[in-house]
């Protein structure tokens, strides 16, 4: 059983890291699918087209899953830090109103 103290501190959210992870996941799916598409091309060209379209659909789905997981993790991190920190409620300072005596 590992506690919270065993976990490394979460890294701050970065749009660049998000973009690289999402594009990397999509690229990985397409790189893996190219040899499969090539092998199916030897058997049937229309079947290879179907496999290629499925590969694009799977790449888009994987990119969405990766993006959602990263954004959800960042949201959980922000939510947990906001719960642990004390709420900073700004105090409203109203300017003094002039009275009849001050004129």
């Amino acid at each position: 059983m590992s506690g919270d103290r065993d976990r490394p501190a979460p890294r701050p959210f970065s749009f660049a890291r998000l973009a690289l992870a999402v594009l990397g996941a999509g690229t990985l799916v397409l790189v893996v699918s190219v040899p499969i598409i090539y092998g199916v091309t030897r058997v049937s060209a229309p079947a290879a087209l179907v496999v290629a379209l499925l590969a694009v659909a799977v790449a888009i789905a994987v990119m969405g899953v990766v993006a959602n997981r990263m954004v959800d993790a960042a949201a959980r991190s922000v939510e947990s830090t906001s719960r642990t920190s004390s709420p900073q409620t700004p105090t409203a300072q109203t300017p003094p109103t002039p009275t009849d005596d001050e004129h």
Side-chain angles (χ1 to χ4, degrees), residues 16 31 33 38 41 43 46 49 51 77 83 86 90-91 100:
V31 165
S33 65
Y38 182 73
T41 303
V43 177
L49 178 62
V51 171
S77 173
R83 283 186 190 165
S86 62
T91 58
D100 291 335

Side-chain angles (χ1 to χ4, degrees), residues 1-27:
M1 289 202 282
S2 63
D4 286 337
R5 60 187 163 96
D6 296 337
R7 266 187 221 155
R11 293 186 292 188
F13 181 75
S14 167
F15 283 107
R17 191 178 306 121
L18 173 68
L20 288 175
V22 168
L23 291 176
T27 302

Side-chain angles (χ1 to χ4, degrees), residues 2 9 11 15 19 21 27 29 33 35-36 40 44 51-52 55-56 65 67 75-76 78-79 82-83 87 93-94 102:
S2 63
R11 293 186 292 188
F15 283 107
T27 302
V29 169
S33 65
I36 297 169
V40 174
S44 169
V51 171
V56 170
V65 168
R76 279 192 308 271
V78 167
E79 186 176 297
S82 67
R83 283 186 190 165
Q93 294 181 348
T94 57
E102 293 178 358

Side-chain angles (χ1 to χ4, degrees), residues 36-87:
I36 297 169
I37 296 168
Y38 182 73
V40 174
T41 303
R42 300 285 186 182
V43 177
S44 169
L49 178 62
V50 170
V51 171
L53 291 174
L54 286 173
V56 170
V58 169
I60 292 170
V62 166
M63 292 167 71
V65 168
V66 168
N68 278 334
R69 288 180 59 100
M70 289 184 73
V71 170
D72 287 345
R76 279 192 308 271
S77 173
V78 167
E79 186 176 297
S80 68
T81 57
S82 67
R83 283 186 190 165
T84 58
S85 64
S86 62

